[in-house]
Amino acid sequence: MLPIVQLVHRPGILDLGWGHPDPAALPVAALRRATDATLTRYGADALAYGAERGPGPLIEWICARLAHIDARHPDPTEVLITSGASQALDLLCTLIAAPGDTVLVESPTYHLAVRILRDHPLHLVAVPSDADGIDVEALTIILRQLAKRGRQARMLYFVPTYHNPTGVCLSLERRRALAMIAAEHGFVLVEDDVYRELSYDAPAPPSVWSIAPPGAVVRIASFSKSLAPGLRLGYLTADASLTRRLIGSGLLDSGGGVNPFTALTVAEVCATGDFEATVTQLRAMYRERRDALAQSLRMYLPPGCRFTVPGGGFFQWVELPEGVDAATLLPRAEQTGVSYLPGSRFYLDAARSNTLRLSFSLYPPHQLTEAARRLGEALAAIR
Ligand SMILES: Cc1ncc(COP(=O)(O)O)c(C=O)c1O
């Protein structure tokens, strides 16, 4: 039979390379109830071509939700439903950027966003980051160098909250600085904010979108992490003039918005309280997993390895001792029964080869402990 899902299990390997939600935590019963309720409530309208922006009930819920989990209540005209954050990014590349435009990309970054950016004929330039997120001073220097060559940045893609792959949150000071720089230099910040709902200690910091001057930021978000990735549902928040432009695109006009039936169904999940109940459970579950992995890494990794525990999201970034190449270590790690993604996968340019990304989303605590033990064993074997 041809496959149904993307995830491939390899027998004997605890694969911490996949940044997928745990299938056992996907809200099957809530979606079944919501699907039935949607068809009863809207009848044939639920199955018609949808409004280009997305269905009103979901947009109104998103506006109220953002007032609760972020620092700004958008107007409905500032919201557009998309087929996940991935499609939002692709749409922005198609409609904001022109072929050959310079697009800045935080480095390291979500490797599959780079795949999307590279599907477009854009000129990608890496901007380095450190333990506080994207390096704003380095960005200023890069902008100056670009200007000398007669180039101007069109967009900057970054993940400031519970970063994939590093787990880092951009400091508030840098959030403010970045918003001002973007407004001053006239490029659009594309803020990928898909992990906002998955905060484990304190609430997530305000998005850059919520504190920036109008028009400086497009925030892209998703139901993939808070409900289920198979819904292929997300949204963006941006200046109303930009969402109007996106709505006028051929894609949304011809298709009648994206996934209107799914969007109405998710609106039902949100209205009944099932969304809130789901994210509350997910936070507790992933917090426990994060803690189990961090504790086990402390126990099993040899001296010279470093990591900071993320406040949310799915990812634990690990720095191995200088000179240990995570890609070279990988076959040995897989022989001991553990896998991960080498850090080099997340860099646009000069990669730090002694880094790796572990995802704690897929396995319960006891298996994460065993994964850390196996990683420690593989490291001990090559040293
Ligand atoms: C930072 C980041 N952005 C976007 C996505 C994909 O989001 P979606 O499923 O909404 O397309 C992921 C998934 O891992 C991610 O980590």
Side-chain angles (χ1 to χ4, degrees), residues 231-243:
L231 297 167
R232 300 314 306 136
L233 199 72
Y235 61 95
L236 59 81
T237 39
D239 202 52
S241 60
L242 179 63
T243 65

Side-chain angles (χ1 to χ4, degrees), residues 9 49 72 77-78 83 85 110 175 177 203 210 234 238 251 262 276 305 314 358:
H9 289 286
Y49 281 108
R72 191 171 150 214
T77 59
E78 294 175 302
S83 173
Y110 171 46
R175 282 171 197 252
S210 73
L251 181 74
T262 304
E276 188 70 61
C305 293
F314 280 175
L358 303 173

Side-chain angles (χ1 to χ4, degrees), residues 152-155 180-188:
Q152 223 195 335
R154 189 73 194 96
M155 305 197 298
M180 296 320 293
I181 293 171
E184 194 183 311
H185 287 261
F187 61 85
V188 177

Side-chain angles (χ1 to χ4, degrees), residues 19 83-87 110 112-113 157 159 163-164 192 194-195 220-225 229 232-234 314-315 357:
S83 173
S86 302
Q87 193 241 341
Y110 171 46
L112 302 180
Y157 169 80
V159 187
H163 190 271
N164 181 0
D192 186 334
V194 300
Y195 294 103
I220 63 179
S222 178
F223 288 96
S224 290
K225 315 298 172 181
R232 300 314 306 136
L233 199 72
F314 280 175
F315 305 108
R357 188 195 79 174

Side-chain angles (χ1 to χ4, degrees), residues 31 70-71 81 90 112 154 227 264-265 277 293 303 323 325 335 342:
L31 259 305
D70 199 356
I81 303 299
D90 191 65
L112 302 180
R154 189 73 194 96
L227 283 180
L264 269 179
T265 307
L293 181 62
D325 186 319
Q335 272 169 21

Side-chain angles (χ1 to χ4, degrees), residues 253-332:
D253 195 10
S254 170
V258 288
N259 298 343
F261 177 65
T262 304
L264 269 179
T265 307
V266 167
E268 196 67 33
V269 173
C270 296
T272 56
D274 278 340
F275 177 88
E276 188 70 61
T278 303
V279 290
T280 302
Q281 277 172 19
L282 293 180
R283 278 189 209 118
M285 186 183 92
Y286 290 132
R287 182 189 297 115
E288 196 188 8
R289 292 177 181 201
R290 175 203 62 173
D291 291 344
L293 181 62
Q295 202 182 356
S296 313
L297 291 175
R298 268 184 223 112
M299 195 173 349
Y300 291 116
L301 291 192
C305 293
R306 292 192 308 173
F307 62 91
T308 32
V309 180
F314 280 175
F315 305 108
Q316 180 66 68
W317 185 246
V318 178
E319 284 180 44
L320 304 174
E322 281 303 331
V324 180
D325 186 319
T328 310
L329 174 69
L330 187 58
R332 171 63 69 131

Side-chain angles (χ1 to χ4, degrees), residues 8-15 18 330 334 338-340 363:
V8 179
H9 289 286
R10 289 183 287 167
I13 294 187
L14 294 168
D15 194 345
W18 293 99
L330 187 58
E334 292 191 344
V338 65
S339 193
Y340 56 80
Y363 294 101

